[in-house]
Amino acid sequence: MSDKDETRLKLLEMIEQKTARIGIIGLGYVGLPLALHFGKKGFHVIGFDLDSRKIDKILHTDAKQFDVTIDFSRLKEADCILICVPTPLSDKMEPDLSYLIETTETIAGNLRTGQLIVLESTTYPGTTEEMLLPRLESHDMKVGEDFFLAFSPEREDPGNKEFTATNIPKVVGGVTTSCLEVATAIYNAITRTVPVSSTQAAELTKLLENTFRSVNIALVNELKILAHKMGIDLFEVINAASTKPFGYTPFYPGPGLGGHCIPIDPFYLAWKAKEYDFSTRFIQLAGEINVSMPYYVIEKTVEALNKNRKSINGSNILILGIAYKKDIDDDRESPGYAIMKILLEKGADLKYNDPWIPKLHTTRKYNFQMDSTPITPDLLEKMDAVIIVTDHSDYDYAEIVKHSNLVIDTRNATKGIKGATEKIVMA
Ligand SMILES: NC(=O)c1ccc[n+]([C@@H]2O[C@H](COP(=O)([O-])OP(=O)(O)OC[C@H]3O[C@@H](n4cnc5c(N)ncnc54)[C@H](O)[C@@H]3O)[C@@H](O)[C@H]2O)c1
C-alpha cells in the first residue's frame, strides 16, 4: 500500500469510527446547525468564527454540545474542515469572495497531511478549483493524496421543521475520486449523499436550485399584477393548478425576494457567465421583476390611501413582519426594508412590528434604528394603513383586520376573514 492510500484509508477509518474531528468555519445560519448535527451523531466538533460575540452566545447556549473557538491555529486538530462563511454580493452586484479567500488562506497556513476540506458556501462554478485549490496545494501537499478537497452545497432551509440536515440529501463533488470518496463518507454519517462527477457540477447544482426558485417566483409575481388587473385571485388559481399531479410546482407571489440566497445566488452565475460571453437572460429578468415588487406594494398603498383622501406624506403606517419569510428571525435582504425606505422617503410616519425581530440594526444598505412596536387595538386604530409584509403564524389576522382602517396584504394572510373585505387591499 502506498503512502497516499494510507492517508486516505486512515481518514476513512476515522470517519467510520467517528473519531475524526470536524472543524466548522462560520457558525451562522448554516454552520451552527451543521455543528449541532455532527455533534449529535457522536463526532467531536470544533466550531470556528471570527465574531467573538457569536462565540460568547454559543458558549452560553450550545457549549456542552461542541467546542467553539476564535483560535484558528486549532484548525490543525480537525480532520475534516467544513467552510460555511458568507458569500455575498458587492455593491456592484459582483461576487464578494473576500470571506472565502481569507478563510482559505488561514486553512492553508494550518494545513496538515490527512485533512479533508469541504466548501459549503454557495458560489459560482469553478470556485473550489480556481480559488481554493491553488491556495491550498503546494509541492509537498498534493490534493487527493496528502489532503482532500470537495464542494458540497448547503441546502439548509431555516425555519423548516420537516427538512433538516439529517434528511436533506447532500450533493457532493470532489476534485479527485479520492476527494469524493472521503467527502461522501463524512456526509453519509449524517444524511444521504448524491455524488456528482466534479466540484463544478456540485456548485452549479446549488445555483440551478436557487435560480429555479427566483425565476418561478418572478413568474408568479408578474402574473399576480396581471391577475389583479383582471380581477382574478391568483392564489385561488395557484391552488387549483397545484391539484395537477405532475408537471407543476406551486410558487407564491409576495412583496419581493428576501434572504441570503435567492436574491443573491443567481447573480453569482450571471457574473461567471460573462467569462463565457454568455448572457443569462432569465436571471436578469427575474431579478428585475422581483426587485420591482416593493414598488408595486407602494403603488397599491398609494391608491388605497388616496381612496381614503389621504397621501403617504404624513400617514401613519405600520409594517407587519420584517423577516424575509414567516416564522424566522432572518431579515437579510428583506423586501420589507425596501418598502420602508420608499415610504420614509415619501414622508410616512412609520412603525414596525415583528415578534421575531425586536430591534432593527444598521446594515450595509439601510439605517433604521427602530424597536418593534407591540400590536394593540389602539395602535391599529391610529394607523392609516397596515402593510402585511411577512405572514408570521403568531399574528391574529382577524383582530388586525377588525381594528385597522386599511390593510395592505402582500401574502394572502387575510384569506377567509369575513365581513371586512372593503378594508383589505391585496398587493
Ligand atoms: N442561510 C441560509 O439559509 C443558507 C442556505 C444555503 C446556503 N447558504 C450559504 O451558506 C453560506 C453561509 O451563510 P449563512 O447564512 O450561514 O451566513 P451567516 O452570516 O449567518 O454566517 C456566517 C458566519 O461566518 C462567520 N465568518 C465570516 N468570515 C469568517 C472567517 N474568515 N472565519 C470564520 N468565520 C467567519 C461570520 O461571523 C458568521 O458567523 C453562504 O454562502 C450562503 O449563501 C445559506
Side-chain angles (χ1 to χ4, degrees), residues 25-26 28-30 49 54 87 99 103 121-122 154 158 260 332:
I25 308 183
Y29 283 92
V30 163
D49 205 293
K54 200 156 258 175
T87 45
Y99 301 90
T103 301
S121 305
T122 309
E154 181 52 58
H260 187 40
R332 287 178 291 178

Side-chain angles (χ1 to χ4, degrees), residues 25-31 48-51 54 72 84-87 99 102-103 120-122 154-156 158 206 260-261 265 332:
I25 308 183
L27 300 171
Y29 283 92
V30 163
F48 297 85
D49 205 293
L50 287 177
D51 185 346
K54 200 156 258 175
F72 286 79
C84 308
V85 298
T87 45
Y99 301 90
E102 190 187 331
T103 301
E120 293 221 3
S121 305
T122 309
E154 181 52 58
R155 287 165 152 175
E156 175 80 13
K206 174 73 186 175
H260 187 40
C261 295
D265 301 349
R332 287 178 291 178

Side-chain angles (χ1 to χ4, degrees), residues 175-238:
V175 174
T176 67
T177 46
S178 304
C179 296
L180 180 63
E181 187 187 7
V182 182
T184 43
I186 190 65
Y187 290 113
N188 274 332
I190 55 166
T191 188
R192 182 166 78 79
T193 52
V194 182
V196 292
S197 63
S198 63
T199 54
Q200 292 87 345
E203 288 159 335
L204 186 55
T205 303
K206 174 73 186 175
L207 295 185
L208 167 63
E209 291 165 10
N210 281 356
T211 303
F212 176 80
R213 282 187 67 77
S214 171
V215 167
N216 279 286
I217 292 169
L219 173 67
V220 286
N221 277 336
E222 185 174 68
L223 286 182
K224 174 175 80 166
I225 300 173
L226 176 64
H228 277 164
K229 288 184 188 295
M230 293 175 156
I232 301 169
D233 175 358
L234 188 69
F235 287 95
E236 185 192 351
V237 173
I238 292 171

Side-chain angles (χ1 to χ4, degrees), residues 302 305-306 308-317 346 384:
V302 169
L305 281 171
N306 194 44
N308 291 351
R309 295 170 170 268
K310 298 217 157 103
S311 63
I312 296 249
N313 195 355
S315 280
N316 290 307
I317 300 181
K346 291 188 182 298
D384 298 301

